[in-house]
Amino acid sequence: MIAIRPVYTSYEREEYMKPFGIIPEENQVVISAINDGKFVGAALVSFEGGNGTIHMMSLIEGYDDYIDRFLIGKAALNFLDLSGAKDVTYTGNDEKLARALGFKIDENGMTINLSGYFEGNHDGCSGHCSEEN
């Protein structure tokens, strides 16, 4: 079973970002994913007021589970929503995952508004949440 949670100690933040070659900045939150006791992936987010950014959401090299990757993305969005961020930008490169999570992708980048997202008013997965897309 997967457990996804933010981590706050500097040691954990650095250890969970090490496989991705990232040193988290002070204002960034690391969200770790542990599946059956093994670290499998993470997200890196930041927020200020009503604006949030997902800098990265990924699984570790050698571990490929679409559902776990999707759940990391959902957890990152949930964390930002609970922190008050409503307008979120994804600066990573996983467009397939971004689409599955409901991000709009256009010339301005990948963005989503979280107003109503977790109240069942979100239709971002209609037609493209399957792994084939």
mmCIF file of all heavy atoms in Angstrom, residues 1-46:
data_model
loop_
_atom_site.group_PDB
_atom_site.id
_atom_site.type_symbol
_atom_site.label_atom_id
_atom_site.label_comp_id
_atom_site.label_asym_id
_atom_site.label_seq_id
_atom_site.Cartn_x
_atom_site.Cartn_y
_atom_site.Cartn_z
ATOM 1 N N MET A 1 0.836 -1.170 0.000
ATOM 2 C CA MET A 1 0.000 0.000 0.000
ATOM 3 C C MET A 1 0.888 1.243 0.000
ATOM 4 O O MET A 1 1.887 1.309 0.701
ATOM 5 C CB MET A 1 -0.878 0.000 1.248
ATOM 6 C CG MET A 1 -1.811 1.148 1.288
ATOM 7 S SD MET A 1 -3.152 0.748 2.396
ATOM 8 C CE MET A 1 -3.131 2.187 3.401
ATOM 9 N N ILE A 2 0.486 2.224 -0.779
ATOM 10 C CA ILE A 2 1.297 3.437 -0.893
ATOM 11 C C ILE A 2 0.893 4.467 0.174
ATOM 12 O O ILE A 2 -0.284 4.627 0.475
ATOM 13 C CB ILE A 2 1.197 4.035 -2.316
ATOM 14 C CG1 ILE A 2 2.256 5.119 -2.494
ATOM 15 C CG2 ILE A 2 -0.198 4.530 -2.612
ATOM 16 C CD1 ILE A 2 2.519 5.469 -3.931
ATOM 17 N N ALA A 3 1.900 5.094 0.749
ATOM 18 C CA ALA A 3 1.697 6.184 1.710
ATOM 19 C C ALA A 3 2.408 7.409 1.148
ATOM 20 O O ALA A 3 3.594 7.351 0.831
ATOM 21 C CB ALA A 3 2.265 5.815 3.071
ATOM 22 N N ILE A 4 1.672 8.505 1.009
ATOM 23 C CA ILE A 4 2.226 9.732 0.445
ATOM 24 C C ILE A 4 2.036 10.835 1.474
ATOM 25 O O ILE A 4 0.925 11.063 1.941
ATOM 26 C CB ILE A 4 1.529 10.087 -0.884
ATOM 27 C CG1 ILE A 4 1.645 8.919 -1.868
ATOM 28 C CG2 ILE A 4 2.128 11.358 -1.470
ATOM 29 C CD1 ILE A 4 0.827 9.076 -3.125
ATOM 30 N N ARG A 5 3.145 11.493 1.842
ATOM 31 C CA ARG A 5 3.062 12.528 2.880
ATOM 32 C C ARG A 5 4.172 13.548 2.700
ATOM 33 O O ARG A 5 5.253 13.230 2.189
ATOM 34 C CB ARG A 5 3.175 11.900 4.262
ATOM 35 C CG ARG A 5 4.518 11.260 4.528
ATOM 36 C CD ARG A 5 4.673 10.738 5.949
ATOM 37 N NE ARG A 5 5.998 10.208 6.174
ATOM 38 C CZ ARG A 5 7.057 10.928 6.521
ATOM 39 N NH1 ARG A 5 6.973 12.217 6.662
ATOM 40 N NH2 ARG A 5 8.231 10.346 6.722
ATOM 41 N N PRO A 6 3.909 14.776 3.144
ATOM 42 C CA PRO A 6 4.977 15.775 3.128
ATOM 43 C C PRO A 6 6.025 15.433 4.182
ATOM 44 O O PRO A 6 5.700 14.835 5.214
ATOM 45 C CB PRO A 6 4.269 17.082 3.490
ATOM 46 C CG PRO A 6 2.860 16.760 3.772
ATOM 47 C CD PRO A 6 2.642 15.304 3.588
ATOM 48 N N VAL A 7 7.259 15.768 3.909
ATOM 49 C CA VAL A 7 8.340 15.569 4.877
ATOM 50 C C VAL A 7 8.948 16.926 5.198
ATOM 51 O O VAL A 7 9.027 17.795 4.334
ATOM 52 C CB VAL A 7 9.416 14.584 4.364
ATOM 53 C CG1 VAL A 7 8.834 13.199 4.199
ATOM 54 C CG2 VAL A 7 10.032 15.044 3.059
ATOM 55 N N TYR A 8 9.368 17.103 6.442
ATOM 56 C CA TYR A 8 9.795 18.432 6.860
ATOM 57 C C TYR A 8 11.213 18.513 7.397
ATOM 58 O O TYR A 8 11.771 19.597 7.446
ATOM 59 C CB TYR A 8 8.806 18.983 7.895
ATOM 60 C CG TYR A 8 7.434 19.180 7.305
ATOM 61 C CD1 TYR A 8 6.401 18.293 7.577
ATOM 62 C CD2 TYR A 8 7.176 20.241 6.447
ATOM 63 C CE1 TYR A 8 5.145 18.475 7.020
ATOM 64 C CE2 TYR A 8 5.931 20.432 5.885
ATOM 65 C CZ TYR A 8 4.908 19.544 6.182
ATOM 66 O OH TYR A 8 3.675 19.723 5.612
ATOM 67 N N THR A 9 11.807 17.404 7.807
ATOM 68 C CA THR A 9 13.179 17.516 8.309
ATOM 69 C C THR A 9 14.123 17.708 7.122
ATOM 70 O O THR A 9 13.888 17.185 6.027
ATOM 71 C CB THR A 9 13.613 16.264 9.103
ATOM 72 O OG1 THR A 9 13.720 15.153 8.216
ATOM 73 C CG2 THR A 9 12.637 15.955 10.236
ATOM 74 N N SER A 10 15.183 18.461 7.334
ATOM 75 C CA SER A 10 16.117 18.731 6.241
ATOM 76 C C SER A 10 16.757 17.432 5.742
ATOM 77 O O SER A 10 16.980 17.270 4.536
ATOM 78 C CB SER A 10 17.184 19.736 6.666
ATOM 79 O OG SER A 10 17.906 19.266 7.774
ATOM 80 N N TYR A 11 17.007 16.489 6.645
ATOM 81 C CA TYR A 11 17.593 15.212 6.237
ATOM 82 C C TYR A 11 16.664 14.468 5.280
ATOM 83 O O TYR A 11 17.083 14.027 4.207
ATOM 84 C CB TYR A 11 17.898 14.343 7.462
ATOM 85 C CG TYR A 11 18.368 12.956 7.077
ATOM 86 C CD1 TYR A 11 19.670 12.755 6.640
ATOM 87 C CD2 TYR A 11 17.502 11.878 7.130
ATOM 88 C CE1 TYR A 11 20.109 11.495 6.257
ATOM 89 C CE2 TYR A 11 17.930 10.609 6.751
ATOM 90 C CZ TYR A 11 19.230 10.419 6.314
ATOM 91 O OH TYR A 11 19.650 9.178 5.927
ATOM 92 N N GLU A 12 15.387 14.326 5.670
ATOM 93 C CA GLU A 12 14.436 13.624 4.804
ATOM 94 C C GLU A 12 14.269 14.339 3.473
ATOM 95 O O GLU A 12 14.238 13.697 2.424
ATOM 96 C CB GLU A 12 13.061 13.533 5.480
ATOM 97 C CG GLU A 12 12.935 12.489 6.546
ATOM 98 C CD GLU A 12 11.530 12.474 7.125
ATOM 99 O OE1 GLU A 12 11.038 13.544 7.566
ATOM 100 O OE2 GLU A 12 10.919 11.392 7.111
ATOM 101 N N ARG A 13 14.138 15.658 3.498
ATOM 102 C CA ARG A 13 13.956 16.426 2.265
ATOM 103 C C ARG A 13 15.108 16.159 1.296
ATOM 104 O O ARG A 13 14.884 15.889 0.118
ATOM 105 C CB ARG A 13 13.868 17.925 2.593
ATOM 106 C CG ARG A 13 12.597 18.333 3.284
ATOM 107 C CD ARG A 13 12.658 19.717 3.931
ATOM 108 N NE ARG A 13 13.424 20.718 3.229
ATOM 109 C CZ ARG A 13 12.963 21.479 2.236
ATOM 110 N NH1 ARG A 13 11.716 21.333 1.845
ATOM 111 N NH2 ARG A 13 13.733 22.371 1.663
ATOM 112 N N GLU A 14 16.319 16.211 1.810
ATOM 113 C CA GLU A 14 17.488 15.993 0.951
ATOM 114 C C GLU A 14 17.579 14.550 0.474
ATOM 115 O O GLU A 14 17.898 14.283 -0.685
ATOM 116 C CB GLU A 14 18.754 16.412 1.679
ATOM 117 C CG GLU A 14 18.853 17.914 1.853
ATOM 118 C CD GLU A 14 20.058 18.342 2.669
ATOM 119 O OE1 GLU A 14 20.988 17.529 2.849
ATOM 120 O OE2 GLU A 14 20.056 19.506 3.127
ATOM 121 N N GLU A 15 17.315 13.596 1.365
ATOM 122 C CA GLU A 15 17.398 12.180 0.994
ATOM 123 C C GLU A 15 16.373 11.808 -0.079
ATOM 124 O O GLU A 15 16.689 11.075 -1.007
ATOM 125 C CB GLU A 15 17.224 11.282 2.214
ATOM 126 C CG GLU A 15 18.449 11.211 3.096
ATOM 127 C CD GLU A 15 19.682 10.689 2.365
ATOM 128 O OE1 GLU A 15 19.627 9.579 1.797
ATOM 129 O OE2 GLU A 15 20.708 11.400 2.363
ATOM 130 N N TYR A 16 15.159 12.314 0.046
ATOM 131 C CA TYR A 16 14.119 11.968 -0.922
ATOM 132 C C TYR A 16 14.310 12.659 -2.264
ATOM 133 O O TYR A 16 13.832 12.176 -3.280
ATOM 134 C CB TYR A 16 12.730 12.271 -0.354
ATOM 135 C CG TYR A 16 12.312 11.306 0.734
ATOM 136 C CD1 TYR A 16 11.766 11.767 1.924
ATOM 137 C CD2 TYR A 16 12.465 9.935 0.584
ATOM 138 C CE1 TYR A 16 11.381 10.888 2.930
ATOM 139 C CE2 TYR A 16 12.092 9.049 1.576
ATOM 140 C CZ TYR A 16 11.549 9.539 2.739
ATOM 141 O OH TYR A 16 11.165 8.656 3.733
ATOM 142 N N MET A 17 15.034 13.756 -2.295
ATOM 143 C CA MET A 17 15.283 14.452 -3.567
ATOM 144 C C MET A 17 16.573 14.008 -4.237
ATOM 145 O O MET A 17 16.781 14.209 -5.423
ATOM 146 C CB MET A 17 15.314 15.968 -3.345
ATOM 147 C CG MET A 17 13.953 16.581 -3.072
ATOM 148 S SD MET A 17 12.854 16.565 -4.522
ATOM 149 C CE MET A 17 11.846 15.134 -4.192
ATOM 150 N N LYS A 18 17.452 13.351 -3.465
ATOM 151 C CA LYS A 18 18.754 12.920 -3.983
ATOM 152 C C LYS A 18 18.639 12.061 -5.252
ATOM 153 O O LYS A 18 19.387 12.289 -6.206
ATOM 154 C CB LYS A 18 19.527 12.167 -2.891
ATOM 155 C CG LYS A 18 21.012 12.067 -3.168
ATOM 156 C CD LYS A 18 21.735 11.350 -2.053
ATOM 157 C CE LYS A 18 21.836 12.269 -0.842
ATOM 158 N NZ LYS A 18 22.638 11.688 0.247
ATOM 159 N N PRO A 19 17.715 11.072 -5.327
ATOM 160 C CA PRO A 19 17.636 10.261 -6.547
ATOM 161 C C PRO A 19 17.281 11.062 -7.803
ATOM 162 O O PRO A 19 17.503 10.609 -8.918
ATOM 163 C CB PRO A 19 16.526 9.248 -6.239
ATOM 164 C CG PRO A 19 16.435 9.209 -4.755
ATOM 165 C CD PRO A 19 16.815 10.575 -4.292
ATOM 166 N N PHE A 20 16.740 12.263 -7.620
ATOM 167 C CA PHE A 20 16.334 13.093 -8.751
ATOM 168 C C PHE A 20 17.363 14.188 -9.048
ATOM 169 O O PHE A 20 17.169 15.003 -9.948
ATOM 170 C CB PHE A 20 14.963 13.723 -8.473
ATOM 171 C CG PHE A 20 13.920 12.715 -8.113
ATOM 172 C CD1 PHE A 20 13.493 12.582 -6.800
ATOM 173 C CD2 PHE A 20 13.382 11.873 -9.067
ATOM 174 C CE1 PHE A 20 12.538 11.642 -6.452
ATOM 175 C CE2 PHE A 20 12.433 10.919 -8.731
ATOM 176 C CZ PHE A 20 12.012 10.796 -7.420
ATOM 177 N N GLY A 21 18.445 14.226 -8.264
ATOM 178 C CA GLY A 21 19.477 15.223 -8.473
ATOM 179 C C GLY A 21 19.032 16.630 -8.106
ATOM 180 O O GLY A 21 19.517 17.606 -8.677
ATOM 181 N N ILE A 22 18.118 16.736 -7.152
ATOM 182 C CA ILE A 22 17.571 18.034 -6.757
ATOM 183 C C ILE A 22 17.899 18.305 -5.297
ATOM 184 O O ILE A 22 17.750 17.429 -4.449
ATOM 185 C CB ILE A 22 16.042 18.050 -6.945
ATOM 186 C CG1 ILE A 22 15.681 17.863 -8.419
ATOM 187 C CG2 ILE A 22 15.429 19.329 -6.393
ATOM 188 C CD1 ILE A 22 14.189 17.675 -8.678
ATOM 189 N N ILE A 23 18.324 19.522 -5.032
ATOM 190 C CA ILE A 23 18.486 19.992 -3.655
ATOM 191 C C ILE A 23 17.320 20.947 -3.412
ATOM 192 O O ILE A 23 17.237 22.007 -4.050
ATOM 193 C CB ILE A 23 19.826 20.708 -3.447
ATOM 194 C CG1 ILE A 23 20.977 19.740 -3.696
ATOM 195 C CG2 ILE A 23 19.895 21.302 -2.043
ATOM 196 C CD1 ILE A 23 22.341 20.374 -3.701
ATOM 197 N N PRO A 24 16.383 20.569 -2.530
ATOM 198 C CA PRO A 24 15.205 21.419 -2.332
ATOM 199 C C PRO A 24 15.576 22.765 -1.707
ATOM 200 O O PRO A 24 16.442 22.836 -0.837
ATOM 201 C CB PRO A 24 14.318 20.601 -1.390
ATOM 202 C CG PRO A 24 15.213 19.603 -0.765
ATOM 203 C CD PRO A 24 16.368 19.386 -1.686
ATOM 204 N N GLU A 25 14.912 23.797 -2.207
ATOM 205 C CA GLU A 25 15.104 25.123 -1.646
ATOM 206 C C GLU A 25 14.266 25.258 -0.384
ATOM 207 O O GLU A 25 13.350 24.468 -0.139
ATOM 208 C CB GLU A 25 14.707 26.178 -2.681
ATOM 209 C CG GLU A 25 15.608 26.153 -3.909
ATOM 210 C CD GLU A 25 15.164 27.122 -4.982
ATOM 211 O OE1 GLU A 25 14.338 28.022 -4.701
ATOM 212 O OE2 GLU A 25 15.651 26.981 -6.114
ATOM 213 N N GLU A 26 14.576 26.254 0.412
ATOM 214 C CA GLU A 26 13.922 26.442 1.708
ATOM 215 C C GLU A 26 12.406 26.556 1.611
ATOM 216 O O GLU A 26 11.685 26.048 2.446
ATOM 217 C CB GLU A 26 14.501 27.692 2.389
ATOM 218 C CG GLU A 26 14.239 27.744 3.864
ATOM 219 C CD GLU A 26 14.873 26.597 4.642
ATOM 220 O OE1 GLU A 26 15.974 26.154 4.282
ATOM 221 O OE2 GLU A 26 14.256 26.141 5.617
ATOM 222 N N ASN A 27 11.907 27.216 0.569
ATOM 223 C CA ASN A 27 10.461 27.434 0.435
ATOM 224 C C ASN A 27 9.733 26.282 -0.266
ATOM 225 O O ASN A 27 8.535 26.365 -0.499
ATOM 226 C CB ASN A 27 10.196 28.734 -0.324
ATOM 227 C CG ASN A 27 10.624 28.640 -1.785
ATOM 228 O OD1 ASN A 27 11.563 27.916 -2.132
ATOM 229 N ND2 ASN A 27 9.948 29.370 -2.642
ATOM 230 N N GLN A 28 10.425 25.215 -0.582
ATOM 231 C CA GLN A 28 9.817 24.088 -1.287
ATOM 232 C C GLN A 28 9.489 22.960 -0.316
ATOM 233 O O GLN A 28 10.232 22.691 0.616
ATOM 234 C CB GLN A 28 10.747 23.579 -2.384
ATOM 235 C CG GLN A 28 10.979 24.611 -3.473
ATOM 236 C CD GLN A 28 11.983 24.140 -4.506
ATOM 237 O OE1 GLN A 28 12.936 23.427 -4.202
ATOM 238 N NE2 GLN A 28 11.776 24.555 -5.752
ATOM 239 N N VAL A 29 8.364 22.304 -0.591
ATOM 240 C CA VAL A 29 7.923 21.185 0.226
ATOM 241 C C VAL A 29 8.129 19.895 -0.566
ATOM 242 O O VAL A 29 7.764 19.806 -1.736
ATOM 243 C CB VAL A 29 6.428 21.336 0.613
ATOM 244 C CG1 VAL A 29 5.944 20.122 1.396
ATOM 245 C CG2 VAL A 29 6.213 22.617 1.412
ATOM 246 N N VAL A 30 8.712 18.907 0.092
ATOM 247 C CA VAL A 30 8.925 17.595 -0.502
ATOM 248 C C VAL A 30 7.799 16.680 -0.022
ATOM 249 O O VAL A 30 7.505 16.605 1.169
ATOM 250 C CB VAL A 30 10.292 17.010 -0.083
ATOM 251 C CG1 VAL A 30 10.454 15.575 -0.593
ATOM 252 C CG2 VAL A 30 11.422 17.903 -0.571
ATOM 253 N N ILE A 31 7.169 16.007 -0.970
ATOM 254 C CA ILE A 31 6.116 15.042 -0.659
ATOM 255 C C ILE A 31 6.636 13.680 -1.098
ATOM 256 O O ILE A 31 6.917 13.473 -2.277
ATOM 257 C CB ILE A 31 4.808 15.401 -1.383
ATOM 258 C CG1 ILE A 31 4.341 16.801 -0.948
ATOM 259 C CG2 ILE A 31 3.740 14.353 -1.121
ATOM 260 C CD1 ILE A 31 3.203 17.366 -1.759
ATOM 261 N N SER A 32 6.803 12.767 -0.145
ATOM 262 C CA SER A 32 7.393 11.467 -0.456
ATOM 263 C C SER A 32 6.317 10.402 -0.639
ATOM 264 O O SER A 32 5.238 10.482 -0.068
ATOM 265 C CB SER A 32 8.345 11.030 0.652
ATOM 266 O OG SER A 32 7.608 10.690 1.815
ATOM 267 N N ALA A 33 6.660 9.392 -1.430
ATOM 268 C CA ALA A 33 5.780 8.247 -1.652
ATOM 269 C C ALA A 33 6.523 6.978 -1.259
ATOM 270 O O ALA A 33 7.606 6.691 -1.784
ATOM 271 C CB ALA A 33 5.350 8.176 -3.114
ATOM 272 N N ILE A 34 5.936 6.249 -0.326
ATOM 273 C CA ILE A 34 6.511 4.995 0.163
ATOM 274 C C ILE A 34 5.513 3.882 -0.148
ATOM 275 O O ILE A 34 4.344 3.972 0.239
ATOM 276 C CB ILE A 34 6.751 5.044 1.693
ATOM 277 C CG1 ILE A 34 7.527 6.296 2.107
ATOM 278 C CG2 ILE A 34 7.400 3.758 2.187
ATOM 279 C CD1 ILE A 34 8.959 6.339 1.681
ATOM 280 N N ASN A 35 5.954 2.852 -0.851
ATOM 281 C CA ASN A 35 5.086 1.727 -1.181
ATOM 282 C C ASN A 35 5.683 0.469 -0.579
ATOM 283 O O ASN A 35 6.810 0.098 -0.914
ATOM 284 C CB ASN A 35 4.923 1.590 -2.696
ATOM 285 C CG ASN A 35 3.781 0.675 -3.058
ATOM 286 O OD1 ASN A 35 3.315 -0.127 -2.253
ATOM 287 N ND2 ASN A 35 3.309 0.789 -4.295
ATOM 288 N N ASP A 36 4.929 -0.163 0.302
ATOM 289 C CA ASP A 36 5.386 -1.375 0.992
ATOM 290 C C ASP A 36 6.752 -1.180 1.645
ATOM 291 O O ASP A 36 7.640 -2.025 1.545
ATOM 292 C CB ASP A 36 5.403 -2.577 0.049
ATOM 293 C CG ASP A 36 4.000 -3.019 -0.334
ATOM 294 O OD1 ASP A 36 3.079 -2.855 0.486
ATOM 295 O OD2 ASP A 36 3.829 -3.529 -1.461
ATOM 296 N N GLY A 37 6.944 -0.032 2.291
ATOM 297 C CA GLY A 37 8.174 0.247 3.018
ATOM 298 C C GLY A 37 9.331 0.734 2.176
ATOM 299 O O GLY A 37 10.409 0.995 2.691
ATOM 300 N N LYS A 38 9.135 0.877 0.858
ATOM 301 C CA LYS A 38 10.215 1.288 -0.034
ATOM 302 C C LYS A 38 9.883 2.645 -0.662
ATOM 303 O O LYS A 38 8.782 2.860 -1.155
ATOM 304 C CB LYS A 38 10.391 0.239 -1.131
ATOM 305 C CG LYS A 38 11.459 0.570 -2.130
ATOM 306 C CD LYS A 38 11.521 -0.472 -3.231
ATOM 307 C CE LYS A 38 12.504 -0.007 -4.292
ATOM 308 N NZ LYS A 38 12.281 -0.627 -5.567
ATOM 309 N N PHE A 39 10.861 3.559 -0.649
ATOM 310 C CA PHE A 39 10.703 4.853 -1.292
ATOM 311 C C PHE A 39 10.564 4.649 -2.798
ATOM 312 O O PHE A 39 11.414 4.021 -3.422
ATOM 313 C CB PHE A 39 11.908 5.750 -0.986
ATOM 314 C CG PHE A 39 11.891 7.047 -1.735
ATOM 315 C CD1 PHE A 39 10.936 8.012 -1.453
ATOM 316 C CD2 PHE A 39 12.819 7.299 -2.725
ATOM 317 C CE1 PHE A 39 10.918 9.216 -2.149
ATOM 318 C CE2 PHE A 39 12.810 8.491 -3.421
ATOM 319 C CZ PHE A 39 11.856 9.452 -3.138
ATOM 320 N N VAL A 40 9.476 5.174 -3.385
ATOM 321 C CA VAL A 40 9.234 4.968 -4.817
ATOM 322 C C VAL A 40 9.126 6.252 -5.626
ATOM 323 O O VAL A 40 9.168 6.217 -6.850
ATOM 324 C CB VAL A 40 7.977 4.096 -5.062
ATOM 325 C CG1 VAL A 40 8.164 2.700 -4.489
ATOM 326 C CG2 VAL A 40 6.724 4.755 -4.515
ATOM 327 N N GLY A 41 8.965 7.402 -4.960
ATOM 328 C CA GLY A 41 8.848 8.630 -5.726
ATOM 329 C C GLY A 41 8.560 9.824 -4.845
ATOM 330 O O GLY A 41 8.436 9.697 -3.619
ATOM 331 N N ALA A 42 8.442 10.988 -5.503
ATOM 332 C CA ALA A 42 8.228 12.215 -4.739
ATOM 333 C C ALA A 42 7.688 13.313 -5.633
ATOM 334 O O ALA A 42 7.737 13.224 -6.865
ATOM 335 C CB ALA A 42 9.537 12.669 -4.100
ATOM 336 N N ALA A 43 7.192 14.336 -4.967
ATOM 337 C CA ALA A 43 6.808 15.579 -5.629
ATOM 338 C C ALA A 43 7.501 16.709 -4.895
ATOM 339 O O ALA A 43 7.787 16.611 -3.699
ATOM 340 C CB ALA A 43 5.294 15.765 -5.600
ATOM 341 N N LEU A 44 7.765 17.780 -5.608
ATOM 342 C CA LEU A 44 8.371 18.973 -5.040
ATOM 343 C C LEU A 44 7.470 20.143 -5.387
ATOM 344 O O LEU A 44 7.216 20.398 -6.568
ATOM 345 C CB LEU A 44 9.775 19.173 -5.614
ATOM 346 C CG LEU A 44 10.590 20.330 -5.058
ATOM 347 C CD1 LEU A 44 10.898 20.103 -3.569
ATOM 348 C CD2 LEU A 44 11.890 20.487 -5.850
ATOM 349 N N VAL A 45 6.956 20.821 -4.369
ATOM 350 C CA VAL A 45 5.995 21.900 -4.584
ATOM 351 C C VAL A 45 6.393 23.145 -3.804
ATOM 352 O O VAL A 45 7.175 23.073 -2.852
ATOM 353 C CB VAL A 45 4.559 21.476 -4.180
ATOM 354 C CG1 VAL A 45 4.129 20.211 -4.917
ATOM 355 C CG2 VAL A 45 4.433 21.274 -2.680
ATOM 356 N N SER A 46 5.824 24.264 -4.214
ATOM 357 C CA SER A 46 5.964 25.509 -3.463
ATOM 358 C C SER A 46 4.684 26.312 -3.658
ATOM 359 O O SER A 46 3.929 26.071 -4.599
ATOM 360 C CB SER A 46 7.192 26.307 -3.928
ATOM 361 O OG SER A 46 7.076 26.668 -5.281
#
